[in-house]
Amino acid sequence: EELRRPEETDETADGMSRNTGAESVSTEGLTTEVVQEENWIRDDDEIYELLDQWHENDEYDKILDKIAEIPPECRSNKIYFRKISALNNLSRYNDARRELGALNARCKSPEDRARWFYMLGYILDNTHCEGKAVECFRQAMEVWPESASKFDLPQMIEDSMGYVAKDMATARKMLADQIDKLHQACAGAQQVKISELQAYTRMGVMRTILQNGPFRQELDPDVSAYKLEKEEEKEAVRNYFADIYGITDLKSLQNYFGQTQIARVAEAAIAYSDGKSDVKPDELDAGTRNYWNMNVRYVSEVRELFPKAGLLAWDLNEVVGMARMMYAADMLTNTELFETYVFAFDWCKEAFSSWEEYAQSLILGGFYSYFIKETDYNIREAAKFASAVGTIAEHTYPGLVWLDEVD
């Protein structure tokens, strides 16, 4: 089967076919058994007076020690929430998030569901994922409207969005500076002739350096058809693609590419900003609405930095880099690998006019991908990732002859 351009796919309008639920919290290593509520400590038990006193005195370790003495089958949701609160107050956010994930299935009532979302939002807000925190706060209000006043959620949303605006402005300056460095490097570079095979691998160089999963070393950009030698290494790569992306062969790679193209979503966000879209955010659920709003915010902040083809370079980088790693693990045949190369090569040559323009798209796409796909809208981590992309681009693309001149 052939890789398809976006207009030929069956994806939903504006590319918003994405699971944005805030409930996807890792519970690795933790279990909370489903127990009968009659075994739980009552909500009016005298233990809460003691826990309240320690909370007022900032003695959070004592809270954790006391809760640890309670048999698991007797711990109510209220007790677990107290434990998570103590962990948060000790800035042990990873531990708090794991405990929250384990508690998820037990939260049935609207109030418990709202508190669950509120506490996840609190963790995200304190780990530089304020945009995702807003989503959780809104979901809390959707499942239990009284949570708005109980947890002062409108004010928390306003505060979080203030941090988002500040961090996004800082990121925009960083991206502009990184692109300026790229232009300077390209302006002073001597022309370098490369082959078509070398052009293939350079389209996907970011994926094979910065996001190469179980690979223990970078893939040599001058080796177009690299193979892993050990079967256990190949198995690790196969498991990585299956577990993380649901990719097992060429067809599933094609499906992934068709469903996750960031260039399409960015184009839809630009159309919305220009009043040329029928998307109605207020009619979307909290998760999808927040996903859409984060897209629009990023595009609005940096759209003047976009090359004509937008963020397409990152999508091409993804499919080429993934294909190289899959071939190395015997997931693609040689023919399938080179069909993927040619597909990306032809589209790249049509959409861009130089490696400089391609690299600019990579920097902007790298930020976007890390912000939207790889983290919970963590602007600071996305900026660090984009900076790494820019550094590699400065040393990879300046001087390279364009695709219509390769040997």
Side-chain angles (χ1 to χ4, degrees):
E1 301 213 13
E2 297 181 355
L3 287 164
R4 299 171 293 176
R5 295 291 181 91
E7 62 268 24
E8 299 173 9
T9 68
D10 299 322
E11 290 306 296
T12 57
D14 301 314
M16 289 195 294
S17 54
R18 179 180 185 270
N19 178 10
T20 58
E23 299 182 40
S24 56
V25 181
S26 172
T27 60
E28 183 178 355
L30 279 176
T31 58
T32 299
E33 296 181 6
V34 177
V35 296
Q36 298 299 317
E37 292 188 19
E38 57 263 25
N39 296 329
W40 294 358
I41 289 178
R42 292 171 45 145
D43 286 353
D44 60 356
D45 191 276
E46 62 184 15
I47 191 176
Y48 289 106
E49 294 182 10
L50 194 56
L51 298 182
D52 288 342
Q53 179 182 339
W54 286 332
H55 180 82
E56 290 296 323
N57 295 334
D58 297 338
E59 296 177 295
Y60 306 114
D61 284 315
K62 289 185 177 180
I63 295 175
L64 297 178
D65 291 341
K66 188 63 177 178
I67 292 176
E69 296 174 3
I70 303 172
E73 65 272 14
C74 297
R75 297 176 192 171
S76 64
N77 289 355
K78 184 175 180 179
I79 284 290
Y80 274 110
F81 281 132
R82 290 299 185 94
K83 180 179 182 180
I84 294 164
S85 176
L87 290 169
N88 281 336
N89 282 306
L90 290 168
S91 299
R92 291 171 55 182
Y93 299 118
N94 289 336
D95 292 336
R97 186 160 182 174
R98 282 192 292 270
E99 289 284 349
L100 195 62
L103 183 61
N104 186 13
R106 282 178 43 163
C107 294
K108 305 293 187 182
S109 71
E111 182 174 356
D112 277 356
R113 295 303 302 148
R115 187 177 292 275
W116 191 94
F117 279 117
Y118 160 71
M119 292 195 117
L120 178 56
Y122 181 92
I123 294 168
L124 291 164
D125 197 56
N126 283 276
T127 52
H128 306 301
C129 298
E130 295 91 353
K132 191 71 171 179
V134 168
E135 177 180 324
C136 294
F137 297 149
R138 286 176 174 154
Q139 285 179 303
M141 291 189 290
E142 282 188 0
V143 297
W144 190 49
E146 289 89 337
S147 65
S149 57
K150 185 175 183 64
F151 304 128
D152 197 18
L153 294 182
Q155 184 61 53
M156 295 193 74
I157 289 173
E158 182 180 340
D159 292 344
S160 294
M161 291 308 296
Y163 285 115
V164 168
K166 181 179 178 180
D167 285 349
M168 192 64 79
T170 301
R172 187 239 175 262
K173 184 180 184 306
M174 181 281 300
L175 290 167
D177 291 345
Q178 202 69 58
I179 291 170
D180 284 343
K181 291 179 183 177
L182 172 69
H183 292 331
Q184 292 171 17
C186 290
Q190 293 185 342
Q191 191 174 73
V192 179
K193 196 77 172 175
I194 59 173
S195 67
E196 185 168 325
L197 292 178
Q198 290 174 315
Y200 291 159
T201 59
R202 278 154 181 77
M203 285 188 293
V205 71
M206 299 301 169
R207 178 76 208 195
T208 55
I209 293 177
L210 294 176
Q211 294 175 296
N212 56 3
F215 276 80
R216 298 176 182 173
Q217 60 186 27
E218 301 171 6
L219 274 68
D220 188 338
D222 290 323
V223 178
S224 59
Y226 174 80
K227 279 287 188 183
L228 290 168
E229 296 181 358
K230 298 180 180 179
E231 183 57 35
E232 57 266 28
E233 293 177 338
K234 295 180 181 179
E235 185 65 21
V237 174
R238 290 193 286 265
N239 290 339
Y240 167 74
F241 275 99
D243 295 343
I244 303 299
Y245 304 105
I247 295 175
T248 57
D249 53 16
L250 179 62
K251 184 175 180 59
S252 51
L253 173 64
Q254 293 168 346
N255 290 338
Y256 176 84
F257 178 75
Q259 294 169 7
T260 63
Q261 291 173 34
I262 63 173
R264 296 171 55 203
V265 184
E267 289 169 2
I270 289 175
Y272 176 82
S273 298
D274 292 342
K276 300 177 181 178
S277 169
D278 58 0
V279 174
K280 298 176 180 178
D282 290 342
E283 297 180 1
L284 304 172
D285 63 77
T288 306
R289 181 169 71 248
N290 198 55
Y291 169 66
W292 178 247
N293 289 340
M294 289 297 107
N295 276 283
V296 171
R297 178 170 288 275
Y298 171 65
V299 168
S300 299
E301 191 75 41
V302 301
R303 62 182 294 181
E304 73 275 12
L305 300 176
F306 279 23
K308 182 179 179 181
L311 307 182
L312 176 63
W314 193 261
D315 292 324
L316 299 179
N317 157 73
E318 284 266 277
V319 73
V320 169
M322 286 183 164
R324 292 190 69 200
M325 291 188 281
M326 290 173 66
Y327 174 80
D330 295 334
M331 298 175 69
L332 295 182
T333 66
N334 186 270
T335 298
E336 290 171 335
L337 173 65
F338 279 85
E339 284 178 352
T340 305
Y341 280 158
V342 172
F343 165 81
F345 181 90
D346 289 344
W347 197 354
C348 184
K349 186 164 61 173
E350 176 185 320
F352 297 96
S353 59
S354 67
W355 285 112
E356 182 176 357
E357 187 181 10
Y358 183 84
Q360 181 173 340
S361 177
L362 275 179
I363 294 169
L364 295 164
F367 177 94
Y368 178 95
S369 178
Y370 216 74
F371 172 57
I372 292 292
K373 292 169 61 177
E374 305 296 334
T375 69
D376 290 318
Y377 307 139
N378 191 317
I379 298 171
R380 297 185 185 189
E381 289 302 313
K384 292 178 184 177
F385 183 77
S387 180
V389 172
T391 299
I392 296 170
E394 287 178 52
H395 293 87
T396 301
Y397 298 107
L400 297 185
V401 298
W402 185 232
L403 303 184
D404 52 7
E405 299 178 46
V406 299
D407 294 329

